[in-house]
């Protein structure tokens, strides 16, 4: 039996202020190592961003859920990458959730430089299809393919 609507709302967790929430993790590997798909051994549950150079392209690997509250590390990484590197590759297979904030970030990055999106997760592909962004953003199967295209 389900609780009445009022009771269900009263059982909700209280909202946590931004400054008290656990912030997403940002890690960089700038020496060209590790190789694609070896950047991390297990996918973390919280939003995280890893970066490295690969065949002349700057690769940003995103894992986890990205929305208005967790987008900052990814936005910072993509902004810095597009300002400093001729080609930016976003490896998006580990993105478990993305909303319009994520989508807007990718469009802005695409407008500012050369962006290739690699292996977007099923959820991200669906978001692309629903919004028509699949006609704008260049998607590749692998980091190697994206770096060489």
């Amino acid at each position: 039996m389900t609780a009445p609507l009022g009771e269900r709302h009263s059982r909700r967790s209280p909202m946590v202020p931004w400054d008290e929430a656990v912030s997403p993790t940002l890690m960089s590997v700038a020496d060209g190592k590790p190789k694609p798909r070896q950047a991390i051994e297990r996918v973390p549950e919280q939003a995280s961003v890893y970066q490295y150079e690969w065949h002349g392209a700057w690769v940003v690997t995103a894992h986890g859920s990205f929305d208005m509250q967790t987008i900052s590390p990814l936005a910072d990484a993509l902004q810095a990458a597009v300002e400093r590197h001729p080609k930016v590759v976003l490896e998006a297979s580990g993105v478990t959730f993305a909303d319009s904030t994520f989508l807007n970030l990718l469009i802005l990055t695409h407008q500012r430089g050369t962006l290739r999106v690699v292996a977007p997760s099923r959820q991200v592909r669906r978001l692309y299809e629903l919004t028509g962004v699949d006609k704008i953003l260049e998607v590749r199967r692998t980091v190697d393919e994206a770096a060489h295209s």
Side-chain angles (χ1 to χ4, degrees):
M1 184 169 150
T2 60
L5 186 58
E7 285 183 38
R8 279 187 284 181
H9 287 295
S10 65
R11 292 183 190 164
R12 283 187 159 167
S13 302
M15 296 296 283
V16 177
W18 172 253
D19 59 341
E20 292 179 20
V22 176
S23 63
T25 306
L26 175 64
M27 295 185 223
S28 296
V29 179
D31 64 356
K33 296 175 177 92
K35 295 180 181 177
R37 303 301 301 160
Q38 295 173 341
I40 59 169
E41 293 182 13
R42 77 172 192 45
V43 177
E45 293 186 21
Q46 68 184 28
S48 60
V49 177
Y50 302 86
Q51 306 177 60
Y52 57 96
E53 191 276 335
W54 187 254
H55 295 290
W58 191 254
V59 180
V60 177
T61 302
H63 291 275
S65 176
F66 292 92
D67 59 21
M68 195 157 115
Q69 294 180 339
T70 61
I71 200 74
S72 293
L74 181 58
D76 294 344
L78 288 175
Q79 179 180 348
V82 79
E83 289 173 358
R84 295 182 185 117
H85 303 281
K87 186 180 296 179
V88 176
V89 175
L90 174 64
E91 203 285 305
S93 65
V95 176
T96 57
F97 174 80
D99 67 2
S100 60
T101 308
F102 177 86
L103 196 60
N104 188 49
L105 173 62
L106 298 189
I107 292 168
L108 290 172
T109 304
H110 168 75
Q111 290 173 340
R112 295 180 64 210
T114 302
L115 174 67
R116 303 286 188 265
V117 180
V118 173
S121 64
R122 187 174 72 189
Q123 195 277 335
V124 172
R125 284 193 317 265
R126 181 74 174 135
L127 183 62
Y128 283 5
E129 292 167 5
L130 288 172
T131 59
V133 171
D134 59 335
K135 311 271 190 273
I136 298 169
L137 296 178
E138 295 190 37
V139 176
R140 301 292 189 262
R141 291 180 300 133
T142 67
V143 171
D144 279 336
E145 185 181 321
H148 291 100
S149 66

